Amino acid sequence: MKEQLQALESQTLAQIADCASDSELNELKQTILGRKGELTQILKGLGKLEPEQRKIMGQASNETKNRLNQAFDAKETELLQNKHILPYDLDLTQPGIMPGTGGLHPITKLIYELNDAFRSLNFTIFEENEISSEQYAFDNLNFPEDHPARESMDTYWLEGTEDEQDPAKRHCLRPHLTGASVRYLQEHGAPCRFVYPGRVFRNESTDPSHERAFYQYEALIIEENFPFASGQLLISTILNQVFGREIKTRMRAGFFPFVEPGFEIDMQCIQCGGKGCSLCKHVGWLEVMPGGTPHPNVLKAAGLDPERWTGFYIDIGLERLAMMRYGIPDVRLFHSADLRFLEQFD
């Protein structure tokens, strides 16, 4: 057996030295040291030896195995050090390949552009957390206690707080941005003008025009004597800035608990020019934002006197604007993480 071990070690060391690749080395290691390898077969004969001889040969076998393992490890290190980084010869005289570059997501790009537009009109940019309390999401905004928006079928309530009776302790993923506007007014007072971009969450089914998580862009002006016509001018100015040309708009009466009077603000579909297409559901107009004068109860919740202060509010749906701007038919593409879609905006 001693002669077998010596012969196997000498033969294996020579074979290790001749290995030219990782695959050859691994295959040889399995042949020699694997469960059915040659060394294993030799070691099976230890049981037939006398106890004293078995002890001697067992020690010799372990030493042989250790030396072979060290030889395999050394050869593996050598192969790694000598391995070429490229599988081909590198010609430094050839022009290089430009690395891929990233780009802004179309929603992020739109937010930046709107921020610049509003800054030029002397607005402050405001941001806050995506978790809100029921007090700010609904109570301060004049929502009735039995309003369906408070139900879990519409709002994501945080586990552990959904049964709280105190609205300040009952928390949710913000279903809109408007609640934080009250917080801003409480902290900064009036007069003021600010915008508030951010992501909101609704518990609803997704389809080409609806998502569970989407972006809004809110703008609010509070002054003592703010003419309503200035609000209309504000809407036109922002849409013209986004699309780079004059956009036709219209305002329809609409009900929202936090504004009085309230309006649905539409823009003419730029895909069909108002003639009607699948994007605007063949009506020629696309609803892009609610708007109106802040409700007196909202101003009271913010600590302002509604007899003194008034203003104008709009809340822009960014995905809808981006769909119109880039001709995108499905809102779900914005959040799909599909690089084929995103690379178009690099």
Side-chain angles (χ1 to χ4, degrees), residues 237-279:
T237 299
I238 295 307
L239 292 179
N240 294 348
Q241 174 72 25
V242 170
F243 294 100
R245 60 185 177 88
E246 185 175 352
I247 300 295
K248 292 183 178 180
T249 61
R250 70 180 185 183
M251 300 177 69
R252 297 176 289 113
F255 173 76
F256 304 96
F258 39 85
V259 287
E260 180 60 40
F263 299 93
E264 299 275 9
I265 302 168
D266 303 333
M267 62 173 285
Q268 189 177 74
C269 180
I270 62 175
Q271 298 298 313
C272 63
K275 297 178 180 179
C277 64
S278 59
L279 182 61

Side-chain angles (χ1 to χ4, degrees), residues 89-337:
D89 292 334
L90 178 62
D91 185 355
L92 297 178
T93 65
Q94 293 295 318
I97 300 173
M98 290 295 293
T101 57
L104 292 176
H105 190 282
I107 298 298
T108 303
K109 184 177 181 180
L110 194 54
I111 289 174
Y112 288 171
E113 292 179 5
L114 285 172
N115 285 349
D116 290 341
F118 274 107
R119 283 194 183 100
S120 70
L121 298 173
N122 201 30
F123 278 72
T124 299
I125 311 299
F126 174 58
E127 295 184 4
E128 201 182 45
N129 294 330
E130 293 181 343
I131 294 177
S132 177
S133 67
E134 184 177 25
Q135 178 179 351
Y136 280 94
F138 297 107
D139 289 7
N140 290 343
L141 300 181
N142 198 41
F143 278 80
E145 291 186 2
D146 60 350
H147 196 284
R150 295 178 184 258
E151 302 297 329
S152 58
M153 65 180 181
D154 194 63
T155 298
Y156 289 108
W157 295 101
L158 298 192
E159 185 177 3
T161 71
E162 66 270 33
D163 297 325
E164 288 283 351
Q165 299 302 311
D166 184 352
K169 297 180 179 179
R170 192 178 187 214
H171 294 94
C172 62
L173 295 177
R174 60 186 181 192
H176 46 235
L177 300 178
T178 314
S181 298
V182 174
R183 192 190 306 276
Y184 182 92
L185 293 174
Q186 289 173 340
E187 295 176 358
H188 300 276
C192 68
R193 52 176 61 194
F194 67 93
V195 293
Y196 177 19
R199 184 170 56 173
V200 299
F201 306 87
R202 302 275 177 84
N203 187 10
E204 59 182 39
S205 300
T206 61
D207 59 39
S209 58
H210 295 86
E211 256 289 8
R212 292 188 178 94
F214 53 97
Y215 283 84
Q216 291 181 340
Y217 196 99
E218 181 172 309
L220 179 62
I221 298 176
I222 300 294
E223 295 180 358
E224 290 190 14
N225 296 294
F226 185 79
F228 187 80
S230 295
Q232 295 175 303
L233 178 61
L234 174 66
I235 294 168
S236 297
T237 299
I238 295 307
L239 292 179
N240 294 348
Q241 174 72 25
V242 170
F243 294 100
R245 60 185 177 88
E246 185 175 352
I247 300 295
K248 292 183 178 180
T249 61
R250 70 180 185 183
M251 300 177 69
R252 297 176 289 113
F255 173 76
F256 304 96
F258 39 85
V259 287
E260 180 60 40
F263 299 93
E264 299 275 9
I265 302 168
D266 303 333
M267 62 173 285
Q268 189 177 74
C269 180
I270 62 175
Q271 298 298 313
C272 63
K275 297 178 180 179
C277 64
S278 59
L279 182 61
C280 63
K281 299 181 179 179
H282 304 284
V283 298
W285 295 88
L286 188 71
E287 178 188 339
V288 290
M289 65 187 91
T293 302
H295 195 284
N297 290 342
V298 175
L299 294 176
K300 289 178 182 178
L304 302 179
D305 181 0
E307 296 295 329
R308 178 185 177 189
W309 300 102
T310 185
F312 196 81
Y313 154 92
I314 56 174
D315 196 351
I316 305 168
L318 290 182
E319 274 84 354
R320 291 186 180 182
L321 282 188
M323 290 172 72
M324 293 291 288
R325 178 174 178 173
Y326 297 110
I328 297 170
D330 194 326
V331 69
R332 292 169 294 189
L333 290 170
F334 289 115
H335 306 283
S336 66

Side-chain angles (χ1 to χ4, degrees), residues 35-98:
R35 293 181 58 185
K36 297 181 179 180
E38 295 182 25
L39 180 60
T40 304
Q41 298 301 319
I42 294 175
L43 296 180
K44 289 181 178 180
L46 289 175
K48 301 177 182 179
L49 301 176
E50 297 294 329
E52 186 66 25
Q53 188 67 18
R54 188 187 310 154
K55 180 179 179 180
I56 296 173
M57 293 310 302
Q59 182 177 352
S61 299
N62 287 331
E63 292 173 354
T64 299
K65 185 175 182 180
N66 290 337
R67 286 193 294 270
L68 291 179
N69 272 319
Q70 291 174 1
F72 277 113
D73 292 343
K75 186 63 176 181
E76 183 178 7
T77 301
E78 178 188 334
L79 291 174
L80 287 173
Q81 291 175 343
N82 294 334
K83 183 181 292 185
H84 291 295
I85 297 176
L86 297 175
Y88 51 83
D89 292 334
L90 178 62
D91 185 355
L92 297 178
T93 65
Q94 293 295 318
I97 300 173
M98 290 295 293

